[in-house]
């Protein structure tokens, strides 16, 4: 499986999550919702701002993928979780050269992306923490940062005395 070398830019990046939830409008009341499908793919709009060699690479990558479009490729994206992760992707249409300014090329594309496997237990734990805690949820996101940057210096300070 080929790996797309370039990461997409953070500006011009959007993802529509595939949720598999179907709603049915009801006369005189709230809609009814139900889960109908699992592993619905995401649709991700991406953008690269690259120089000439990067443009040549990106177009060659697309043409190689186009020979066997049923073969997914790997790209590093942020979709299901905050850290960037590898996803299996497909181009939904050819990339677009959005602009060229001197030696800088801006290329956009839309990718169909297979979702990662969901960890329902972790999702439940995060939501339960949010429901029961008055703390900022960022304290849940990176407890190691607090340990290294706050707790450890405080502990070392006591040893210097």
């Amino acid at each position: 499986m080929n790996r797309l070398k370039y990461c997409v830019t953070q500006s011009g990046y959007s993802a529509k999550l595939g949720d598999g939830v179907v709603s049915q409008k009801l006369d005189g009341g709230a809609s009814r919702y139900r889960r109908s499908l699992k592993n619905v793919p995401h649709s991700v709009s991406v953008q690269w701002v690259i120089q000439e060699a990067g443009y040549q690479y990106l177009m060659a990558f697309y043409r190689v993928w186009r020979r066997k479009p049923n073969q997914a490729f790997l790209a590093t994206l942020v979709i299901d979780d905050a850290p960037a992760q590898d996803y299996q992707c497909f181009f939904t249409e050819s990339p677009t050269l959005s602009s060229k300014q001197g030696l800088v090329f801006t290329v956009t594309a839309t990718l169909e992306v297979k979702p990662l496997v969901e960890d329902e237990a972790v999702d439940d734990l995060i939501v339960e923490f949010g429901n029961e805690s008055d703390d900022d949820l960022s304290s849940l996101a990176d407890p190691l940062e607090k340990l290294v940057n706050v707790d450890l210096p405080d502990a070392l300070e006591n040893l210097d005395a």
Side-chain angles (χ1 to χ4, degrees), residues 13-74:
Y13 183 100
S14 65
K16 175 160 182 4
L17 303 182
D19 62 5
V21 174
V22 175
S23 67
Q24 180 180 3
K25 301 244 184 251
L26 301 174
D27 292 336
S31 298
R32 181 181 305 159
Y33 297 89
R34 66 181 170 85
R35 179 95 185 249
S36 67
L37 302 169
K38 287 189 174 186
N39 298 323
V40 176
H42 307 310
S43 177
V44 181
S45 298
V46 294
Q47 173 179 284
W48 298 273
V49 178
I50 46 184
Q51 294 184 347
E52 189 174 310
Y55 182 74
Q56 289 176 320
Y57 167 79
L58 197 55
M59 293 300 103
F61 188 92
Y62 172 73
R63 289 189 297 269
V64 167
W65 172 82
R66 187 177 62 189
R67 289 183 218 151
K68 294 182 182 178
N70 63 330
Q71 297 291 317
F73 61 90
L74 291 177

Side-chain angles (χ1 to χ4, degrees), residues 63-136:
R63 289 189 297 269
V64 167
W65 172 82
R66 187 177 62 189
R67 289 183 218 151
K68 294 182 182 178
N70 63 330
Q71 297 291 317
F73 61 90
L74 291 177
T76 303
L77 302 168
V78 175
I79 303 174
D80 290 315
D81 207 353
Q85 297 177 345
D86 286 338
Y87 285 86
Q88 292 184 28
C89 305
F90 302 89
F91 287 100
T92 60
E93 55 189 36
S94 61
T96 302
L97 176 59
S98 300
S99 73
K100 180 183 180 300
Q101 296 179 357
L103 299 176
V104 177
F105 298 76
T106 302
V107 179
T108 59
T110 303
L111 306 177
E112 182 175 294
V113 179
K114 290 184 178 182
L116 299 178
V117 175
E118 294 178 9
D119 188 339
E120 292 179 356
V122 170
D123 289 346
D124 291 343
L125 185 65
I126 291 170
V127 171
E128 183 178 326
F129 178 82
N131 289 340
E132 295 178 1
S133 177
D134 292 332
D135 293 339
D136 181 10

